[in-house]
Amino acid sequence: MKIIYILLGIISFAVGTIAIWIPGLPTTGFYVLTAILWSKSSHRLEEWLHKNKYYIKYVDEAVFNRKLSLRGRVVIYFITASMMSIPFFTTNMLWLKFVLPLTSLTQITAMESYYHGYLWRNGIPFTQNVKRPELND
C-alpha cells in the first residue's frame, strides 16, 4: 500500500507543480493531497515535501500562516472569474448564469474572511495537530 501512496503522491505533486503555470488549476489542493499521501507512505518523503520551496510558498505560508498578499488574492479572484466567464457568456442556461457569479462571490467572501481572521481564528480545524517543520529564513 505504501508504494501506491508514493506513486499517487508523485502524480499529485507533478500536477500541482504544473498547475503553478496553468490558470484555473489549483496548486494548493494537489500539494495538500500530496502531503496526505506521502505522510501515509514515508516520513522521509513527507519531510522533503514540507521543505520544498513550492509547498512552503503555496501551502505553508499562504494557507497555514495566512501570508498571501492582497495582490495575490486579487490575482486568484481575477483568474477564477475569467475562467467562470467562459461558460457564463457561452451558455444559455439561466441557472448556470446564476450559479457562476454566486460561486465567485462565495469564494471571495470565504477567502477574505479567512485572511482577515473572521473564519477559523486559530487555524484550520483539521490541521491543529499537524507537525510542520520550523522554517529557517
Side-chain angles (χ1 to χ4, degrees):
M1 197 64 173
K2 284 185 174 190
I3 293 186
I4 292 172
Y5 284 139
I6 290 171
L7 291 175
L8 290 174
I10 289 170
I11 292 168
S12 177
F13 182 77
V15 172
T17 303
I18 292 168
I20 293 170
W21 297 282
I22 300 176
L25 197 58
T27 299
T28 305
F30 287 105
Y31 280 173
V32 170
L33 177 60
T34 302
I36 292 167
L37 292 168
W38 283 353
S39 70
K40 293 182 176 292
S41 65
S42 165
H43 180 69
R44 196 173 98 206
L45 282 173
E46 182 184 19
E47 277 194 30
W48 177 84
L49 177 68
H50 286 286
K51 293 177 182 174
N52 180 280
K53 67 179 181 179
Y54 296 122
Y55 179 87
I56 292 168
K57 179 178 180 182
Y58 293 107
V59 178
D60 206 57
E61 289 179 2
V63 177
F64 294 127
N65 296 327
R66 300 179 196 219
K67 290 184 180 175
L68 186 59
S69 68
L70 178 60
R71 181 179 181 269
R73 295 193 309 268
V74 169
V75 167
I76 289 171
Y77 304 148
F78 179 74
I79 290 172
T80 304
S82 1
M83 298 301 283
M84 287 185 183
S85 70
I86 296 169
F88 183 85
F89 290 114
T90 59
T91 187
N92 291 328
M93 292 184 262
L94 185 60
W95 68 271
L96 192 59
K97 290 186 181 258
F98 175 75
V99 168
L100 288 172
L102 187 62
T103 303
S104 190
L105 183 62
T106 303
Q107 175 203 22
I108 293 168
T109 304
M111 282 184 67
E112 289 304 309
S113 295
Y114 176 73
Y115 280 99
H116 287 287
Y118 307 131
L119 182 65
W120 298 326
R121 289 177 199 258
N122 298 322
I124 301 171
F126 67 88
T127 62
Q128 295 301 318
N129 297 324
V130 174
K131 294 179 184 174
R132 292 192 322 275
E134 294 297 321
L135 304 175
N136 298 329
D137 291 329

